[in-house]
């Protein structure tokens, strides 16, 4: 590492000593930027990197709400407004007990560069709460969302900051949040994306992250004379991203043999067909059940998760792997299993699913890695298209949005592979994604002066 880059990293370690996830996201990003920093003296002069690792604004607040027994509960809420260099802050809201400032900052940091890759005018942000939606009634979730928005509304707006879904935030939560925003502001505007189709949502937004992940992975494979058709795939998670990844993999003729949640995984040797996938959608999105119930219904293998051991899902024989659950779900030991099993491509549906050591090991062993910033950008891309439709007060057809999504994902592939070839090595899409997005955000920051 150049001493200047090393210094920036050391200053992050010193200022944010407890923010492990944020440190990790910055570290892997800086490794890429290190390769081009000599060619960009203005970046050094204008302290662009130093500014990038400090959010423009962080909002932290109390969320009081009453549970079904009438008792008061208090959670912590966050919104990290990381960068408005390219447009209004944009990024999802996560509801999960693990949520803390480090996780919010890592996600907002990644989001800034991901949003840049879509080519749409969006800055980067992320928010959420340590509220745990598991086991809560609809009424509890609604009261929580209303309290959350009662503080958040003053910080967001259709041209300021536009939140959306992430882990634990889907159609139900976006509905409650939107309703409360509208009630307080007396305005029906596109302040959130992922809205219902009847009230300002976009076609293909629920599908977009999973579909986009498969479009980008398919582009990488086709360029190398490989294909999804006839292949065997492993997918982790069983939420929004996992479900629509499986759907598009089926469309393209692949067989998917796994799904998981934080309690365990299922292995279905015969493949998850469309009927079984429909069962998963209802199980997870309506009944809010566990993936174990799939194993009971279809009489397939269920392996409970023991977090002290490597995750058995990454030791299933397959051609391609799609982590779609959460950060750091692939450790070095998991990466060794993936390499041992000759997995040829990893498409990152989740944000930062590989630890830094896992990523290094996978790259050193020649696995094609489609990094999250590029690979899961389809979700926020269609959020950007939802904003565009809201501004014009129109709703595009499924076909049109799907075609736009494909164009954006193929555009991302072209952009990151060209940057990889120019500044790094041909198949290093991590460097390609980091460098291509960094240059554009940096140029915008320099042009806009010291803000
Ligand atoms: P969902 O809440 O719909 O699903 C999350 C899935 O991941 C569930 O199966 C959940 O299991 C599992 N999971 C969550 N936390 C953990 C954990 N700590 N350990 C193991 N499994 C876990 O979320 P999404 O599908 O929307 O998000 C999945 C990933 O994709 C996240 O990394 C998110 O940031 C990323 N992403 C999402 C986008 C979107 O548009 N929704 C866009 C781009 C990226 P359980 O039910 O047991 O918690
Ligand atoms: O990580 C992500 O890109 C998302 N959760 C989607 C963000 C969005 O604004 O649609």
């Amino acid at each position: 590492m150049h001493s200047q880059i090393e210094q920036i990293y050391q200053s992050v370690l010193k200022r944010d000593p407890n923010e492990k996830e944020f440190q990790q996201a910055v570290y892997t990003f800086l490794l890429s930027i290190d390769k081009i920093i000599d060619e960009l003296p203005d970046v050094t002069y204008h302290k662009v990197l130093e500014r990038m690792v400090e959010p423009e604004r962080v909002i932290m607040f109390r969320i009081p709400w009453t549970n079904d027994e009438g008792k008061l509960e208090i959670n912590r809420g966050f919104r990290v407004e990381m960068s408005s260099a390219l447009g209004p802050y944009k990024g999802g809201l996560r509801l999960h007990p693990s949520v803390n400032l480090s996780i919010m900052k890592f996600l907002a940091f990644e989001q800034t560069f991901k949003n840049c890759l879509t080519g749409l005018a969006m800055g980067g942000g992320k928010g959420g709460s340590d509220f745990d939606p598991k086991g809560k009634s609809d009424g509890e979730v609604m009261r929580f969302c209303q309290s959350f928005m009662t503080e958040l509304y003053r910080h967001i707006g259709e041209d300021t900051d536009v939140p959306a879904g992430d882990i634990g935030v889907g159609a139900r939560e976006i509905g409650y949040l939107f309703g409360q925003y509208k009630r307080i502001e007396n305005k029906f505007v596109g302040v959130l994306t992922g809205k219902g189709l009847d009230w300002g949502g976009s076609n293909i937004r629920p599908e977009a992250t999973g579909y986009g992940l498969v479009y980008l992975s398919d582009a990488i494979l086709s360029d190398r004379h490989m294909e999804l058709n006839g292949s065997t795939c492993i997918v982790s998670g069983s939420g929004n991203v996992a479900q629509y990844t499986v759907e598009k993999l089926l469309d393209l003729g692949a067989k998917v043999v796994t799904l998981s949640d934080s309690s365990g995984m299922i292995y279905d040797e015969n493949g998850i067909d469309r009927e079984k996938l429909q069962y998963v959608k209802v199980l997870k999105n309506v009944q809010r059940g566990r993936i174990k119930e799939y194993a009971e219904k279809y009489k397939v293998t269920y392996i409970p998760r023991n977090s002290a051991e490597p995750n058995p899902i990454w030791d299933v024989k397959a051609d391609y792997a799609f982590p779609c659950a959460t950060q750091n779900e692939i450790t070095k030991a998991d990466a060794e299993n993936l390499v041992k099993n000759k997995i040829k491509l990893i498409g990152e549906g989740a944000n930062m699913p590989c630890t830094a050591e896992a990523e290094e090991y996978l790259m050193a062993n020649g696995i094609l890695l489609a990094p999250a910033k590029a690979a899961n950008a389809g979700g926020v891309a269609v959020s950007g298209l939802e904003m565009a439709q809201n501004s014009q007060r129109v709703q595009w057809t499924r076909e049109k949005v799907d075609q736009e999504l494909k164009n954006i994902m193929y555009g991302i592939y072209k952009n990151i592979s060209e940057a990889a070839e120019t500044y790094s090595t041909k198949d290093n899409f991590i460097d390609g994604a980091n460098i291509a997005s960094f240059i554009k955000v940096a140029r915008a920051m320099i042009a806009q002066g010291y803000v």
Side-chain angles (χ1 to χ4, degrees):
M1 254 194 195
H2 286 75
S3 64
Q4 167 214 352
I5 303 252
E6 176 68 31
Q7 258 174 29
I8 294 168
Y9 181 57
Q10 288 303 328
S11 80
V12 169
L13 295 184
K14 202 164 152 218
R15 294 178 93 175
D16 309 315
N18 301 317
E19 298 179 2
K20 295 278 172 267
E21 292 83 1
F22 180 59
Q23 293 168 2
Q24 180 186 338
V26 169
Y27 175 73
T28 54
F29 186 74
L30 290 178
L31 284 181
S32 300
I33 306 312
D34 194 49
K35 299 190 173 149
I36 53 158
I37 198 68
D38 279 342
E39 296 164 46
L40 302 168
D42 50 343
V43 162
T44 305
Y45 180 79
H46 294 290
K47 299 206 171 181
V48 170
L49 279 166
E50 288 87 335
R51 285 190 278 156
M52 277 178 179
V53 297
E54 195 59 30
E56 287 181 19
R57 189 179 297 109
V58 174
I59 302 145
M60 239 175 104
F61 51 99
R62 166 166 91 201
I63 312 164
W65 58 279
T66 40
N67 65 24
D68 284 346
E69 286 157 20
K71 295 222 171 75
L72 183 62
E73 302 222 15
I74 293 144
N75 284 99
R76 182 173 283 177
F78 300 88
R79 185 72 183 166
V80 175
E81 297 183 335
M82 187 58 94
S83 168
S84 61
L86 300 182
Y89 308 107
K90 180 84 194 86
L93 296 172
R94 177 177 291 191
L95 299 183
H96 194 272
S98 64
V99 162
N100 58 30
L101 188 56
S102 172
I103 290 180
M104 295 285 96
K105 281 175 64 181
F106 116 65
L107 288 163
F109 185 79
E110 295 286 291
Q111 195 82 46
T112 300
F113 302 101
K114 178 197 308 190
N115 293 3
C116 171
L117 288 174
T118 67
L120 304 172
M122 297 182 288
K126 202 83 186 195
S129 170
D130 57 4
F131 174 80
D132 185 359
K134 279 197 196 80
K136 302 288 192 301
S137 69
D138 285 353
E140 289 177 320
V141 171
M142 181 174 74
R143 289 193 296 282
F144 168 83
C145 287
Q146 290 177 340
S147 182
F148 185 65
M149 187 52 85
T150 302
E151 173 58 36
L152 189 67
Y153 88 94
R154 72 190 81 243
H155 307 289
I156 62 176
E158 72 272 32
D159 295 322
T160 309
D161 184 351
V162 184
D166 192 78
I167 291 177
V169 176
R172 172 181 63 168
E173 292 74 20
I174 293 294
Y176 296 150
L177 292 163
F178 183 76
Q180 184 72 351
Y181 181 88
K182 193 183 57 166
R183 181 194 201 188
I184 298 173
E185 285 281 18
N186 196 23
K187 281 200 303 197
F188 193 112
V189 291
V191 66
L192 292 164
T193 59
K195 299 185 292 302
L197 269 187
D198 295 333
W199 41 278
S202 174
N203 275 301
I204 305 283
R205 177 62 189 89
E207 296 89 338
T209 312
Y211 281 18
L213 170 64
V214 178
Y215 293 150
L216 186 99
S217 304
D218 187 46
I220 294 175
L221 292 173
S222 330
D223 238 4
R224 286 158 184 79
H225 311 292
M226 292 186 257
E227 59 179 359
L228 288 163
N229 189 22
S231 71
T232 300
C233 299
I234 49 183
V235 176
S236 70
S238 49
N240 172 272
V241 179
Q243 290 167 19
Y244 290 101
T245 296
V246 174
E247 185 163 296
K248 189 50 69 179
L249 286 171
L250 292 179
D251 288 350
L252 297 189
K255 175 165 138 182
V256 183
V257 292
T258 63
L259 280 173
S260 67
D261 59 25
S262 54
S263 313
M265 63 166 282
I266 58 113
Y267 172 65
D268 187 343
E269 191 179 17
N270 298 321
I272 300 162
D273 61 20
R274 283 177 203 281
E275 185 204 313
K276 293 171 179 170
L277 177 61
Q278 184 53 33
Y279 168 79
V280 172
K281 286 183 185 173
V282 174
L283 174 71
K284 300 301 282 190
N285 310 347
V286 183
Q287 299 167 354
R288 304 194 186 272
R290 309 298 297 158
I291 203 64
K292 187 175 189 208
E293 293 165 57
Y294 179 108
E296 286 156 8
K297 182 168 168 71
Y298 294 110
K299 311 271 176 288
V300 301
T301 309
Y302 176 75
I303 309 175
R305 179 82 184 102
N306 173 355
S307 54
E309 283 170 16
N311 192 336
I313 203 165
W314 308 126
D315 199 10
V316 170
K317 291 232 167 359
D319 300 296
Y320 312 123
F322 298 91
C324 295
T326 194
Q327 66 273 359
N328 292 332
E329 58 175 307
I330 298 180
T331 62
K332 171 91 185 291
D334 297 319
E336 284 168 0
N337 282 333
L338 289 161
V339 168
K340 178 195 75 188
N341 289 330
K342 300 197 170 55
I343 295 282
K344 295 187 270 295
L345 169 136
I346 297 177
E348 296 187 341
N351 285 305
M352 203 168 77
C354 298
T355 64
E357 300 73 43
E359 197 173 273
E360 199 185 320
Y361 186 82
L362 293 166
M363 294 300 288
N365 282 279
I367 292 194
L368 291 165
L369 201 147
K373 273 187 203 82
N376 73 30
V380 76
V382 174
S383 278
L385 301 177
E386 183 171 330
M387 290 163 72
Q389 293 167 75
N390 290 167
S391 302
Q392 297 172 64
R393 297 200 173 348
V394 295
Q395 190 170 55
W396 300 343
T397 61
R398 270 185 79 83
E399 293 67 30
K400 178 171 167 68
V401 181
D402 197 25
Q403 190 54 53
E404 293 282 337
L405 172 62
K406 277 187 193 147
N407 294 346
I408 290 173
M409 298 314 296
Y410 298 150
I412 292 176
Y413 173 57
K414 186 165 180 291
N415 195 1
I416 65 172
S417 42
E418 283 174 5
E421 273 198 57
T422 309
Y423 301 108
S424 176
T425 44
K426 188 169 176 288
D427 287 344
N428 193 332
F429 304 121
I430 299 178
D431 281 345
N434 287 339
I435 293 172
S437 56
F438 170 74
I439 291 174
K440 184 170 167 187
V441 177
R443 272 205 312 259
M445 287 174 68
I446 293 168
Q448 292 172 32
Y450 295 164
V451 288

